[in-house]
Amino acid sequence: MTAIERFTGDAHPYSGGDPYADYRTADFPFTHHADLADRRLGAGVIAANDEFFAQRENLLLPGRAEFDPEHFGHKGKIMDGWETRRRRGTSAGDPWPTAEDHDWALIRLGAPGIVRGIVVDTAHFRGNYPQAVSVEGTCVEGAPSPEELLADDVKWTTLVPRTPVGGHAANGFAVTSEERFTHLRLKQHPDGGIARLRVYGEVVPDPAWLAALGTFDVVALENGGRVEDASDRFYSPATNTIAPGRSRKMDDGWETRRRRDRGHDWIRYRLVGRARIRAVEIDTAYLKGNSAGWASVSVKDGDNADWREILPRTPLQPDTNHRFILPTPTLATHARIDIYPDGGISRLRLHGSLTDEQ
């Protein structure tokens, strides 16, 4: 684990205006990876020891945390995050929490995988954030209960050791472990509030599950596909194009800036494995005046192989799902979609099956 940029200490009390004006953040080198804790992938906060002031589920909400200075409830200030009560010592003579005291939350990743980086975001927790945080990971197949995860025989691997963090800040940590994880345990020492948790990494699916499926989307994020590169990520990330389900609004797809040259935009993908592709879907849902005008799809079979076109440049309609059956199944390990001249698509689906040779 490596802390990218260390933020410690209280933020200034909120004094009005834009609450993000004094928010502390940095450019993290791992955020191009998928968020394995994305609710759209099925992630969830399945348990926490305390959520007195604010619920644990807020940790995985999409988008940045919101702040309303006038929003109070019968327990006090209502925060957009996970916040526990203040810990106390055992007596008047020793009123302080011990060094070992902490609160915890169990997170089920939406897709199992290798974690490349974690962001513990304390946005708007200015004087009520934890002094330090730590994160552990484990791999338990199936759908274990919180009690099963907390059993003595479950092995937890430290991804982020106990590390001081700052209030109203994006606290980022690069992770170097190559293990596959299904669940995380987030600890805050000794108590306090965390607005959001983001877990960036690479999906590593269960091969037995994929084999049982037979034909499936071989570029889907949830199955282990990933974006290797893209020409433009100005309005939204290219990873959205392989997210689960159909797009629900415009920024849930991929949209590029307006081109003023004779070029075009593209995304390059690595498939789940070597696959035999039989059909292609290109969806422009919610992209109406800004969908791509045309698109083509190419594939290659192996890192050093040549690209070959499987779908020639084809006109696209706005806010429409386009389906194409290939005349001949095509072997591939990588795919690329080229859009002309710019604009966006919401989803790309490549339907096929894995080969015996991986």
Side-chain angles (χ1 to χ4, degrees):
M1 184 285 305
T2 304
I4 304 301
E5 183 166 338
R6 189 68 56 82
F7 300 113
T8 57
D10 293 349
H12 294 298
Y14 176 66
S15 58
D18 179 6
Y20 275 101
D22 59 342
Y23 177 68
R24 295 176 287 177
T25 187
D27 291 328
F28 303 121
F30 45 73
T31 55
H32 63 284
H33 291 290
D35 181 4
L36 302 181
D38 191 329
R39 284 288 298 169
R40 293 178 299 176
L41 285 173
V45 186
I46 61 175
N49 72 305
D50 187 298
E51 48 187 327
F52 185 85
F53 286 113
Q55 294 124 331
R56 63 182 191 262
E57 287 86 358
N58 291 337
L59 281 171
L60 305 187
L61 289 177
R64 65 183 190 175
E66 298 179 357
F67 180 72
D68 181 351
E70 304 300 326
H71 196 192
F72 286 83
H74 65 277
K75 291 183 180 179
K77 182 72 185 72
I78 295 177
M79 298 293 290
D80 185 7
W82 169 50
E83 185 180 6
T84 66
R85 72 194 77 200
R86 300 187 188 217
R87 283 183 171 268
R88 298 292 188 240
T90 57
S91 67
D94 186 17
W96 304 280
T98 70
E100 291 74 33
D101 282 345
H102 67 273
D103 292 316
W104 54 264
L106 293 177
I107 294 93
R108 179 190 63 244
L109 297 180
I114 298 172
V115 178
R116 299 302 184 192
I118 294 173
V119 175
V120 178
D121 188 348
T122 58
H124 315 303
F125 290 94
R126 296 170 175 269
N128 52 346
Y129 60 94
Q131 182 184 30
V133 299
S134 59
V135 183
E136 301 163 297
T138 190
C139 184
V140 180
E141 300 298 343
S145 67
E147 293 75 19
E148 290 171 320
L149 289 170
L150 296 173
D152 292 339
D153 59 345
V154 174
K155 175 193 172 187
W156 290 89
T157 300
T158 298
L159 303 183
V160 178
R162 182 170 175 167
T163 306
V165 293
H168 197 43
N171 300 276
F173 307 91
V175 177
T176 57
S177 172
E178 295 295 324
E179 292 183 55
R180 176 179 182 268
F181 297 106
T182 60
H183 296 76
L184 300 186
R185 180 163 59 189
L186 170 65
K187 295 180 180 179
Q188 48 178 334
H189 308 266
D191 55 38
I194 296 169
R196 296 289 189 268
L197 176 71
R198 305 299 186 216
V199 183
Y200 297 99
E202 299 168 12
V203 176
V204 181
D206 178 0
W209 174 254
L210 297 182
L213 291 179
T215 297
F216 59 93
D217 183 359
V218 297
V219 75
L221 179 62
E222 60 191 314
N223 294 330
R226 67 178 187 267
V227 169
E228 288 192 326
D229 201 1
S231 62
D232 189 292
R233 299 180 175 90
F234 189 82
Y235 286 113
S236 45
T239 302
N240 283 352
T241 60
I242 55 175
R246 292 200 73 199
S247 175
R248 291 168 293 181
K249 51 193 176 75
M250 191 175 70
D251 65 352
D252 193 15
W254 172 60
E255 182 188 359
T256 71
R257 73 191 81 198
R258 299 188 187 212
R259 279 190 171 269
R260 304 305 187 197
D261 57 21
R262 303 288 292 179
H264 73 281
D265 290 312
W266 51 267
I267 305 174
R268 187 176 75 242
Y269 306 88
R270 177 177 287 273
L271 307 184
V272 177
R274 190 169 189 246
R276 185 172 284 104
I277 302 171
R278 299 182 178 87
V280 175
E281 285 186 78
I282 302 173
D283 196 354
T284 58
Y286 292 98
L287 294 161
K288 298 181 179 180
N290 51 353
S291 66
W294 295 261
S296 63
V297 176
S298 302
V299 299
K300 66 177 182 177
D301 187 16
D303 290 334
N304 300 317
D306 294 329
W307 291 99
R308 62 188 188 281
E309 196 171 67
I310 61 172
L311 181 70
R313 193 179 304 185
T314 301
L316 300 180
Q317 299 301 320
D319 196 27
T320 301
N321 192 29
H322 309 74
R323 291 179 171 177
F324 308 94
I325 299 174
L326 302 183
T328 304
T330 303
L331 290 173
T333 57
H334 297 72
R336 189 184 73 226
I337 186 166
D338 294 86
I339 64 170
Y340 301 87
D342 56 21
I345 64 170
S346 60
R347 297 289 188 269
L348 174 69
R349 305 298 188 206
L350 301 177
H351 300 287
S353 56
L354 295 180
T355 66
D356 293 334
E357 298 177 4
Q358 293 300 311

